[in-house]
Amino acid sequence: MNSYIVKRIVLFIPTLILASLLIFVIMRSLPGDVVTVILSGSGEGVVSLEAKEALREELGLNKPLIKQYLTWAQSFLTGGFGGRSLENREPISSIIYRQAPVTLLLTFYSLVISICISTPLGVYSALRKGSITDIFTRLTSLIGLAFPNMWMALIIILLLLLLFGWSPPVIYSSPGSDIWLHVQIVILPALIIGWEQSSHMIRVVRSNMLDILGKEYIVTARSKGLTEISVIIRHAVPNVLIPTLTMTGLQAGSLITGVVVLETIFGLPGLGRGLIQAALVRDYPVIQTIVTVIIMISLFINLLVDILYKKADPRLYNLD
Amino acid sequence: MGIKDMQNTFLETLKSYIWTITVFIAMLSFFILVLFALFPTVISTHDPIAQDANSILLAPSSTHLMGTDWAGRDIFSRVVHGSRISLYIGIISIMLASIIGCITGIFSGYMGGYTDLIVQRVVDTLLGIPSIVMALVIIVSFGSSATAIAIAISVAMTPQIVRLSRATTLSIKTDPYIDAVESIGATEGRIVFNHIMPNITPVMLSQITGYFGMAIVAETTLSFLGLGVAPPYSSWGRMIQEGSTQYMETAPWTTLFPGFAMSITVVCSAILGDSIGHLLNRKHRISKLL
């Protein structure tokens, strides 16, 4: 068990390095002169040669690419997170420390909501196939598939406004300072991402559950005289958890995409909104660092899933 | 045959009829969308970028089928013209992603061994990068022309297609007829091109049709976030963004119609993908492999 976890963690590092290197190369392979693009983007008009040279020096662009990467990686790892923002000279580390908790919380809520919605509903609608609940569940998951998260968010905001005259608070509040305000602002995006994610997951859980209910060991469990509840809880559900976990891992990327988009719509001051704002003003160092941090979160969810996977499926114990 | 059986047969027939009608409607809507994209000037009633100070934020009526936006531009005409960008980016990105993805996937699945191992590690890494982040990095680096956006979306989608085509190749590789072809001394090129490719195509086609909708969602999301094709072109995403930031309450039609255009496209591509999948019994095998 422990050697498996160690192996996964060891594998996590080269994956992260590969991903960050890839992003680094794409960002540095700008057609034309990066410095000109950056400086002309900031709207300063005519750019002096000295300013160009100074920026080139700061970004370390006059060094070979691999050295640039190493310098950046060193700064990232030692907590500097790759220097300062080009836009307002704020250290990137303080941007990350400010924004990351918001994103992590939203990701966590959405993950919990999507698992808590999809597993019981998927199991239930498989058990009561063809019932009203089943049809309702499948219909809602169909809506979740047809309406991409940003579109869904806009419709829900509009509906809430028209029906109840309520709109989510605009100013973010951390759970430490005002928990009630925090819940109010975070609940909608978390629910919407949860809905979108569970739309995919419910289908997987449902079809797997139907599959499992037809298996011989369920018949055996029933013929032993176990109650229906314990047949389902002890024998069927644990087997459904495995595909649910697989789906969670596969969907980590789309979950994060949802977080990035909805943070922007709901004005949550997280990494996603920070990334979009940095992208709009072409603040390269900030983009690079935020992208790497977001990829870290996504890969970390995958790592977590891998470890839980092992716990959920004892057959994997013997593989090492 | 008892009453129960008759009921079941009836329900089954009814279901298949409903399914056929759904597919028909999806195909029809898709056809209309293609018409929109091919002949936008013929279909649209107004100039999509002509501003008109006398008709700002008008509700839908017979002259303005979907109303007008903050600059007095006709929303119907803008939706029609916007379909062009969405379809263009959707088609280009899906073509790029499927060509590169399928070649890599088949190669990796067929070769096996270290090649497969390396390709799979790279694909796993790419899959770990959220698609919007990948697309954003490419757009920031290469500008936001329609082609750059299409490339960005295709890069974000390719790893999924690699994964799928590899899984499909693996399932076919073990089929007896491949052994048979190998035993009569066929070259690897012949096996891949004459035997694996034709068998993969239908499965991939079904999935890729579904991915088409996702590409359009990606394009809409990017232009919604302000990273899409630059004005004055109309794109659904930017129309939604313009409408939703200020006129959500007073003029919801500015947001709703382009949004529904996108939703219909997505649903249709999902239904068409599904119906292609329904025609193939291989689909079940593949979905289990993934």
Side-chain angles (χ1 to χ4, degrees):
Chain A
M1 184 70 197
N2 284 330
S3 76
Y4 177 81
I5 294 176
V6 170
K7 217 194 262 169
R8 297 311 307 183
I9 293 172
V10 168
L11 212 63
F12 175 77
I13 295 163
T15 314
L16 186 61
I17 293 176
L18 190 63
S20 68
L21 191 63
L22 193 79
I23 297 296
F24 192 86
V25 170
I26 296 175
M27 299 269 309
R28 293 291 152 111
S29 63
L30 271 170
D33 187 9
V34 193
V35 175
T36 318
V37 176
I38 293 174
L39 287 178
S40 63
S42 61
E44 281 168 27
V46 185
V47 183
S48 68
L49 266 174
E50 291 81 48
K52 275 189 179 179
E53 207 46 57
L55 186 62
R56 198 168 280 140
E57 191 64 43
E58 188 198 327
L59 294 175
L61 290 175
N62 36 19
K63 299 193 189 86
L65 198 64
I66 186 74
K67 195 148 187 214
Q68 290 178 32
Y69 177 72
L70 288 177
T71 322
W72 176 81
Q74 193 198 4
S75 146
F76 187 90
L77 290 174
T78 49
F81 286 111
R84 282 163 182 279
S85 153
L86 288 178
E87 198 199 359
N88 52 16
R89 316 301 304 159
E90 186 182 354
I92 298 178
S93 55
S94 84
I95 297 181
I96 299 291
Y97 291 137
R98 193 178 63 230
Q99 294 178 341
V102 183
T103 302
L104 286 174
L105 280 175
L106 184 60
T107 311
F108 175 71
Y109 298 149
S110 317
L111 206 58
V112 169
I113 287 176
S114 71
I115 292 172
C116 289
I117 291 179
S118 58
T119 319
L121 271 184
V123 167
Y124 189 80
S125 73
L127 287 175
R128 302 267 181 278
K129 201 179 158 210
S131 71
I132 305 277
T133 322
D134 181 29
I135 292 168
F136 179 75
T137 306
R138 284 162 70 193
L139 208 67
T140 23
S141 79
L142 208 65
I143 295 173
L145 292 177
F147 288 78
N149 48 36
M150 62 99 161
W151 179 218
M152 174 99 85
L154 293 176
I155 292 181
I156 289 180
I157 292 176
L158 179 65
L159 282 181
L160 285 176
L161 198 66
L162 292 180
L163 295 178
F164 305 107
W166 183 82
S167 55
V170 194
I171 294 159
Y172 177 78
S173 151
S174 70
S177 58
D178 186 346
I179 185 88
W180 173 231
L181 204 64
H182 177 74
V183 170
Q184 276 189 10
I185 191 166
V186 151
I187 186 100
L188 267 184
L191 276 176
I192 291 167
I193 301 169
W195 185 355
E196 196 198 26
Q197 298 297 312
S198 52
S199 313
H200 297 271
M201 250 141 77
I202 282 177
R203 293 165 153 244
V204 176
V205 172
R206 185 176 176 277
S207 70
N208 271 291
M209 188 69 187
L210 285 174
D211 227 36
I212 286 165
L213 286 177
K215 287 268 161 68
E216 281 98 348
Y217 58 82
I218 296 294
V219 180
T220 312
R222 284 206 178 114
S223 61
K224 276 199 308 194
L226 291 181
T227 55
E228 192 61 27
I229 300 253
S230 85
V231 170
I232 288 156
I233 304 274
R234 294 283 310 258
H235 296 272
V237 171
N239 286 299
V240 164
L241 287 179
I242 295 161
T244 313
L245 275 176
T246 317
M247 266 315 261
T248 312
L250 283 176
Q251 288 193 323
S254 99
L255 179 86
I256 303 279
T257 298
V259 170
V260 170
V261 174
L262 288 200
E263 269 179 10
T264 317
I265 294 179
F266 284 90
L268 291 171
L271 293 171
R273 200 176 71 146
L275 177 63
I276 303 293
Q277 281 171 348
L280 291 177
V281 296
R282 303 287 193 264
D283 194 341
Y284 289 87
V286 177
I287 298 174
Q288 181 138 14
T289 304
I290 294 186
V291 163
T292 313
V293 174
I294 288 180
I295 293 172
M296 263 167 81
I297 297 175
S298 164
L299 289 176
F300 186 72
I301 296 176
N302 267 305
L303 177 70
L304 218 62
V305 165
D306 270 347
I307 292 170
L308 286 175
Y309 201 70
K310 178 91 173 177
K311 274 231 188 296
D313 194 349
R315 278 171 298 182
L316 291 173
Y317 270 111
N318 307 326
L319 280 184
D320 292 332
Chain B
M1 212 157 82
I3 289 283
K4 196 84 185 164
D5 289 336
M6 277 168 73
Q7 254 177 2
N8 282 341
T9 327
F10 174 71
L11 277 179
E12 283 303 310
T13 322
L14 190 70
K15 261 188 196 163
S16 76
Y17 271 124
I18 292 175
W19 178 244
T20 315
I21 293 168
T22 317
V23 172
F24 179 72
I25 293 174
M27 280 168 78
L28 195 71
S29 322
F30 216 77
F31 181 67
I32 293 173
L33 191 75
V34 172
L35 279 185
F36 275 13
L38 286 179
F39 313 106
T41 41
V42 182
I43 294 166
S44 62
T45 51
H46 296 73
D47 184 348
I49 50 175
Q51 307 196 351
D52 182 359
N54 294 322
S55 51
I56 287 171
L57 294 172
L58 291 180
S61 64
S62 55
T63 39
H64 296 285
L65 288 173
M66 296 180 180
T68 56
D69 68 0
W70 60 275
R73 296 173 294 195
D74 182 53
I75 301 223
F76 175 69
S77 309
R78 285 175 71 73
V79 168
V80 170
H81 279 265
S83 69
R84 200 165 199 170
I85 290 184
S86 293
L87 277 193
Y88 172 77
I89 291 179
I91 290 170
I92 298 280
S93 57
I94 223 53
M95 265 169 51
L96 274 177
S98 44
I99 291 171
I100 298 171
C102 284
I103 291 176
T104 321
I106 294 172
F107 182 71
S108 164
Y110 186 74
M111 296 295 279
Y114 278 110
T115 323
D116 191 32
L117 206 70
I118 293 167
V119 171
Q120 285 320 299
R121 280 255 53 89
V122 174
V123 166
D124 278 353
T125 310
L126 288 176
L127 277 175
I129 303 178
S131 56
I132 196 153
V133 170
M134 191 64 174
L136 184 139
V137 166
I138 291 172
I139 289 169
V140 164
S141 307
F142 296 95
S144 49
S145 67
T147 316
I149 294 170
I151 291 174
I153 294 172
S154 71
V155 170
M157 280 186 156
T158 307
Q160 299 176 34
I161 294 180
V162 172
R163 211 188 160 100
L164 189 74
S165 58
R166 174 179 172 268
T168 322
T169 308
L170 284 181
S171 87
I172 287 171
K173 213 175 104 178
T174 49
D175 278 353
Y177 64 84
I178 297 292
D179 287 340
V181 179
E182 262 169 13
S183 67
I184 60 169
T187 59
E188 290 189 333
R190 184 175 148 197
I191 295 174
V192 169
F193 284 106
N194 291 3
H195 299 280
I196 292 184
M197 291 273 250
N199 281 302
I200 270 192
T201 313
V203 182
M204 294 311 293
L205 211 62
S206 133
Q207 290 296 316
I208 285 166
T209 318
Y211 281 143
F212 177 73
M214 283 162 61
I216 287 189
V217 171
E219 188 272 326
T220 317
T221 308
L222 285 171
S223 40
F224 176 80
L225 295 173
L227 296 162
V229 185
Y233 299 106
S234 58
S235 94
W236 295 343
R238 212 184 36 259
M239 290 172 73
I240 296 174
Q241 190 249 333
E242 281 175 0
S244 67
T245 40
Q246 277 168 298
Y247 310 106
M248 199 69 194
E249 230 176 320
T250 48
W253 55 86
T254 52
T255 315
L256 292 181
F257 286 114
F260 280 124
M262 173 188 65
S263 271
I264 291 170
T265 316
V266 176
V267 174
C268 287
S269 85
I271 292 173
L272 291 180
D274 246 28
S275 71
I276 295 174
H278 267 264
L279 296 173
L280 306 152
N281 45 9
R282 267 188 192 278
K283 195 195 170 197
H284 196 59
R285 261 170 74 186
I286 302 310
S287 62
K288 278 199 167 162
L289 263 171
L290 277 176

